[in-house]
Amino acid sequence: QVQLVETGGGLVQPGGSLRLSCAASGSIFSPNTMGWYRQAPGKQRDLVARITEGGSTNYADSVKGRFTISRDNAKNTVYLQMNSLKPEDTAVYYCNLHRTFYAMDYWGKGTLVTVSS
């Protein structure tokens, strides 16, 4: 019903920056929250940041001050600006859309971010 496509991943040196994008299509009900999760090798999938349609945000402590999440409701697109990247940020980053009153989650296929010195 909802399709999410992530773009923008790649290889970057420590201290560098990347901007991820996720475009949603299909039966997108409101209200909803969109966000980014990541899964490093051998670890569970954890929240990076999320944002409501009204612009309320929530960040993992590990990325506060370095990452910024934003969204364009007209384009059904969420962005993640990642600055001052660290090797610990290396992971597959997944886009998520959560329907607030339906308890339904949709996931993208993920985009790989590699921070290598």
Side-chain angles (χ1 to χ4, degrees), residues 1-107:
Q1 295 180 347
V2 176
Q3 295 78 47
L4 303 172
V5 180
E6 306 103 329
T7 59
L11 175 65
V12 64
Q13 294 184 349
S17 299
L18 283 175
R19 191 189 193 213
L20 306 183
S21 299
C22 172
S25 62
S27 301
I28 305 170
F29 287 80
S30 295
N32 66 73
T33 298
M34 297 185 72
W36 293 93
Y37 291 69
R38 67 186 182 187
Q39 187 168 21
K43 298 183 64 178
Q44 66 181 13
R45 187 177 301 183
D46 293 322
L47 171 71
V48 177
R50 57 190 175 194
I51 184 170
T52 68
E53 289 175 274
S56 180
T57 59
N58 181 225
Y59 294 91
D61 288 340
S62 60
V63 306
K64 287 181 179 177
R66 299 189 298 120
F67 292 8
T68 302
I69 190 170
S70 61
R71 65 186 289 171
D72 185 334
N73 293 331
K75 296 181 178 180
N76 294 318
T77 300
V78 64
Y79 307 93
L80 185 68
Q81 178 66 47
M82 304 185 293
N83 298 325
S84 301
L85 283 162
K86 304 175 180 179
E88 307 94 272
D89 297 317
T90 295
V92 176
Y93 284 70
Y94 296 91
C95 182
N96 167 266
L97 185 148
H98 177 77
R99 292 180 178 177
T100 302
F101 298 126
Y102 298 85
M104 293 289 292
D105 284 278
Y106 299 90
W107 297 91

